[in-house]
Amino acid sequence: MVSACRPVVIRGLCADWPAVHAAAASVEHGAAYVGQFDAGTTAEAFVGSADLAGRFHYGDKVDGFNFVRDSAGISEHIRQIVVSATDREAATRYLGSLPIDIHLPGFTRHNMVPAMPPSVAPRIWIGNASVIACHYDTYDNLACVVAGRRRFTLYPPDAIGDLYVGPIDHTMAGQPVSLAANAGEGDARYPRFAAARDRALVVDLDAGDALYLPKLWWHQVEATSPFNILVNYWWDNFSIGPDAPYTAMLLSMIAIAERPEAERAAWRAYFDHYVFRPDGHPLAHLPPEKHGVLGRMASGNYGRIRALVMRLLRDV
């Protein structure tokens, strides 16, 4: 499933969780179930006025946002989310990406996906109806709906050029977002978005359902109920060390992005040959024992190449 790099819907994966059953009884039962695990920590929530309808995004310009951030205790956030669930005039509140083992210890013991390795720590997302801007993650993601309904609108990684992505260093929650996906259909500022929209996958999940979302897939997430809870797991199934592809991309940007077009094309050929390997291993014409540091990373070559890179960076 993971190696195919395609989203997969898993109906009923977490339907037996006590948290799902509590939330199905009522908003208050769901909130009380989660609140019982409160460790007394504080966290930051997004808060937007009622007229935003939970559409958290940039403001009129990309140098600001249309919401404020509010720091409070977990139980207080949950209390206000419950109030807003029944008051259409109240502010919309969104509490996202909380490490459960820190903020709600004990929750995971009763609500878990057995197939997930113990080293993969779950996170929880609690809020009112909301639309989270279209973004990507650099980790594989298993998203489990605990309360309410979720609609995921998905775009493949190679749609990035049609999504009109905002800044990478001024974001709402760490990852850049699509400006076009949040705009009205036919917005003249984003003519290429029509191509991305035609490739979109729309997935509706009920409480108890889950979605496996591969890394780098763009996703807009709509929580359509007044009270919503989601638990997710992030992990990198193919990591063999601490270095991340995103870090390599940033370093490549400063080293290559503003070189002449012809030189960029030359480097693209080398990246294809050594990194992306559309024609197979670059030393396939030699026996494996002659591959040197281009041999299997797990055979010690990861550390050798990393040491070489660190030495080159140190000598600059």
Side-chain angles (χ1 to χ4, degrees):
M1 179 176 77
V2 177
S3 60
C5 198
R6 293 284 298 176
V8 178
V9 175
I10 310 171
R11 299 289 181 193
L13 179 67
C14 55
D16 291 335
W17 285 9
V20 173
H21 290 296
S26 70
V27 169
E28 291 74 18
H29 278 82
Y33 181 86
V34 174
Q36 70 178 309
F37 299 104
D38 183 3
T41 58
T42 60
E44 191 175 80
F46 291 2
V47 182
S49 59
D51 62 312
L52 291 178
R55 289 186 171 273
F56 298 107
H57 211 273
Y58 292 110
D60 295 332
K61 301 178 180 179
V62 294
D63 57 353
F65 302 109
N66 66 359
F67 59 89
V68 297
R69 303 173 194 266
D70 179 41
S71 183
I74 305 301
S75 291
E76 176 59 18
H77 282 308
I78 294 175
R79 185 190 70 80
Q80 296 196 45
I81 289 168
V82 171
V83 169
S84 296
T86 58
D87 184 356
R88 292 176 178 266
E89 302 301 318
T92 299
R93 186 170 292 258
Y94 172 74
L95 189 61
S97 194
L98 295 183
I100 291 178
D101 293 343
I102 294 175
H103 297 280
L104 302 168
F107 178 95
T108 303
R109 186 165 60 251
H110 305 284
N111 305 272
M112 66 172 63
V113 176
M116 296 303 299
S119 59
V120 180
R123 293 172 177 261
I124 197 166
W125 313 69
I126 311 171
N128 303 121
S130 60
V131 180
I132 302 307
C134 183
H135 65 284
Y136 67 88
D137 297 310
T138 57
Y139 292 95
D140 297 295
N141 185 6
L142 181 68
C144 303
V145 180
V146 175
R149 302 185 78 241
R150 282 292 204 286
R151 167 167 285 188
F152 285 77
T153 304
L154 312 177
Y155 306 91
D158 63 0
I160 183 171
D162 298 324
L163 291 172
Y164 295 88
V165 180
I168 66 172
D169 57 345
H170 178 64
T171 67
M172 282 164 275
Q175 297 294 355
V177 303
S178 165
L179 304 180
N182 193 62
E185 186 172 340
D187 192 313
R189 295 173 297 174
Y190 311 119
R192 291 178 54 184
F193 179 62
R197 187 175 59 244
D198 291 344
R199 303 174 64 196
L201 302 176
V202 178
V203 175
D204 289 310
L205 301 180
D206 291 314
D209 293 339
L211 172 67
Y212 165 67
L213 190 61
K215 60 175 71 69
L216 302 182
W217 272 73
W218 293 87
H219 50 289
Q220 175 177 284
V221 187
E222 299 175 63
T224 59
S225 303
F227 178 75
N228 300 273
I229 303 174
L230 181 141
V231 168
N232 88 300
Y233 301 81
W234 275 320
W235 79 103
D236 185 351
N237 202 62
F238 302 106
S239 174
I240 59 173
D243 301 295
Y246 185 74
T247 306
M249 186 182 75
L250 291 177
L251 182 58
S252 298
M253 285 168 55
I254 62 174
I256 298 173
E258 294 188 357
R259 291 178 180 271
E261 181 179 357
E263 185 178 344
R264 295 200 309 273
W267 280 113
R268 184 182 300 116
Y270 277 70
F271 269 65
D272 279 344
H273 185 70
Y274 285 108
V275 180
F276 299 109
R277 303 181 178 183
D279 300 318
H281 194 281
L283 292 181
H285 52 283
L286 296 177
E289 63 271 17
K290 300 297 185 182
H291 288 183
V293 295
L294 293 184
R296 291 184 56 82
M297 296 293 174
S299 300
N301 289 313
Y302 179 94
R304 296 184 186 101
I305 294 176
R306 192 174 196 274
L308 174 61
V309 171
M310 298 302 291
R311 185 165 65 250
L312 290 171
L313 290 174
R314 201 166 45 242
D315 292 343
V316 172

